[in-house]
Amino acid sequence: MFTMLSNNIVTISAAGSGKTTTIVDEAMVKTDSKVLIVTYTNENLNEIKRKIIKKYGFIPSHIKIQGWYSFLLQECARPYQNFIYDKKRIESILLVEGRSPAYIKKADVEKYYFAKGTLIYTDKISQFIYECNKKSNGLVINRLEKMYDHIYIDEVQDLNGWDLDLIQMFFKSSIKMSLVGDHRQTTYKTNNAARNGKYSGVKILDFFLDLEKRKKCSVKYRTECHRSNQLICDFADTLYPIMKKTISKNHEETGHDGLFTVNESEVTDYINTYNPVVLRYDKRSKFDAEKIMNYGMSKGLTFDRVLIIPTAPIKKYLMKKGELEGESLSKFYVAVTRAKYSVAFLMKESVTFEGIRAYQVANS
C-alpha cells in the first residue's frame, strides 16, 4: 500500500550531517508518543544518551533507549520463545565472531539456536524472532505495536543477515519506523550470517532501494555536512563517486585547511604545531602518539584535525595505483570525515590527488 511510504523512512546521511542529533530532537518533541531508539554499538548508545541529557537535562519517560541485542532479547525473543523453545529461559546472547556451529539441522532447535541451552547465538537470534512471530501468528509484532508508536534505528548500516528480515517484518507493522545510517560507514556488523549476503556491508543501500521500489519504505538523503569543510567533503566524496555530493556548512577558515601529506621527518613538528588526533587502521601500526585511536573507533566523533596513518592499500589509492573496497574503504571514509579543518596523511610518497598538498615545516 502507498501509505507505507510515509510510515517507514530510511535516511542515508553523509558523515557530519547530524543524524543522531536529528533523532534526539525529533524524539524529544513526540511527548504524546511512545518512542524507542535503538542502535548497535555501546559507543553510539552512550552518545545518544549524552546528547539528550546535555541538551535537555534528563531522558523523558516517553523515550526508551536500547542496544540492538538488548532490544532483540528483551522485547522480541523472550516474550514468545515458548512457541519455538520451552525447555529453558533464554538467559543471554553469545557473541559469535564468525558464525555459529554449522551442519546442525534447524529441527534440532536447542543445538541450532543455542549454546548450553540458554545462550542464543548472535547470528541466530533474529532468525529465532522471525520464526517466533510466524509461529505465534504475529504476537511479537502485536506486542511491539502496543508498546511503541515510533521506533528509531540509528546506524542501520550495521545490521546484517536475518536482521534485514526483521526490518521487513517491522515495516509491515503499524509502528512508524525511522531508520538512519550511512552505508559508507559500515565498520561494524551485528553478525556474520550468510543470510542476505548480497546486501551485506556497503550494499545494504541496495536492500532499502529494493524495498522502496516495492513501496515498503521511502529512502531519503541528507547531504549537508556540519562538520568538515568543503575541501574535506570533496575528497571524501571521491571514495563513493556515485553518491550525491556533500555540501559543507562549515565555512570557517583557520589558515591550515584541507588535505596534506606529511613526511616522517616532519611529523613531530606537524603534531606539535597542529595537535591532530592520530588515526590508525588497527593496533598493528607501529606509530605511537598521545592521542591515537583506530579508524573504526572514531566513528561518530568530531576532531579539529586528524593525522591518518595509511595502510599499504590506502597509500596505493592516494597514489592512484589501486582501488579500495569493502571494510578498508568504509574505515578510510570514516577516518577522513572526522575532521573539521584538516586531514593529513603520513607518507613520503608523492600524491597526485588534486587538492592534497605536501606539508612543509615553516622556514624550511
Side-chain angles (χ1 to χ4, degrees), residues 165-208:
D165 293 272
L166 289 193
I167 293 300
Q168 294 188 74
M169 196 170 81
F170 296 153
F171 277 2
K172 295 176 183 178
S173 73
S174 63
I175 305 169
K176 182 173 178 59
M177 300 293 302
S178 295
L179 281 56
V180 182
D182 183 3
H183 63 297
R184 292 162 289 194
Q185 299 187 61
T186 309
T187 58
Y188 300 104
K189 289 182 182 179
T190 51
N191 62 77
N192 291 299
R195 177 77 171 179
N196 292 311
K198 68 178 181 178
Y199 297 125
S200 181
V202 68
K203 296 178 182 178
I204 194 171
L205 176 59
D206 295 333
F207 170 73
F208 293 117

Side-chain angles (χ1 to χ4, degrees), residues 99-307:
R99 294 178 184 173
S100 55
Y103 310 115
I104 298 175
K105 293 183 178 180
K106 184 180 169 184
D108 189 348
V109 172
E110 185 165 1
K111 291 183 179 180
Y112 182 80
Y113 289 108
F114 299 94
K116 300 179 181 179
T118 60
L119 304 177
I120 191 164
Y121 295 119
T122 48
D123 62 341
K124 297 283 180 62
I125 185 169
S126 288
Q127 181 183 7
F128 182 86
I129 293 165
Y130 185 89
E131 295 295 336
C132 279
N133 190 66
K134 184 178 179 180
K135 290 283 183 68
S136 67
N137 291 319
L139 289 182
V140 175
I141 289 297
N142 289 345
R143 180 175 182 272
L144 292 176
E145 287 176 327
K146 293 176 182 177
M147 295 176 65
Y148 303 110
D149 302 302
H150 199 143
I151 294 179
Y152 290 90
I153 301 179
D154 197 10
E155 303 289 6
V156 71
Q157 75 277 354
D158 293 338
L159 305 188
N160 195 53
W162 277 90
D163 296 343
L164 303 188
D165 293 272
L166 289 193
I167 293 300
Q168 294 188 74
M169 196 170 81
F170 296 153
F171 277 2
K172 295 176 183 178
S173 73
S174 63
I175 305 169
K176 182 173 178 59
M177 300 293 302
S178 295
L179 281 56
V180 182
D182 183 3
H183 63 297
R184 292 162 289 194
Q185 299 187 61
T186 309
T187 58
Y188 300 104
K189 289 182 182 179
T190 51
N191 62 77
N192 291 299
R195 177 77 171 179
N196 292 311
K198 68 178 181 178
Y199 297 125
S200 181
V202 68
K203 296 178 182 178
I204 194 171
L205 176 59
D206 295 333
F207 170 73
F208 293 117
L209 291 176
D210 288 347
L211 289 182
E212 185 180 47
K213 289 178 183 177
R214 293 158 48 196
K215 302 190 184 300
K216 303 298 181 183
C217 69
S218 291
V219 177
K220 299 183 177 181
Y221 299 88
R222 290 173 60 91
T223 58
E224 292 185 349
C225 175
H226 301 278
R227 178 189 297 139
S228 305
N229 59 36
Q230 193 63 55
L231 293 169
I232 297 172
C233 288
D234 288 345
F235 176 77
D237 284 345
T238 67
L239 298 173
Y240 293 92
I242 66 171
M243 291 297 296
K244 296 178 183 294
K245 299 303 179 185
T246 307
I247 301 169
S248 174
K249 292 298 183 179
N250 174 11
H251 305 300
E252 185 177 356
E253 296 183 4
T254 68
H256 182 74
D257 305 300
L259 299 106
F260 304 85
T261 57
V262 178
N263 201 298
E264 288 184 6
S265 62
E266 300 170 326
V267 69
T268 299
D269 176 85
Y270 187 83
I271 291 176
N272 290 339
T273 302
Y274 294 108
N275 194 31
V277 173
V278 179
L279 300 179
R280 63 191 179 190
Y281 191 84
D282 56 33
K283 292 183 179 180
R284 289 174 292 182
S285 169
K286 296 180 181 179
F287 193 88
D288 190 27
E290 183 178 348
K291 296 190 298 184
I292 190 168
M293 67 173 59
N294 295 350
Y295 295 175
M297 290 298 293
S298 72
K299 186 169 70 169
L301 302 179
T302 297
F303 308 114
D304 285 351
R305 310 181 189 279
V306 300
L307 171 64

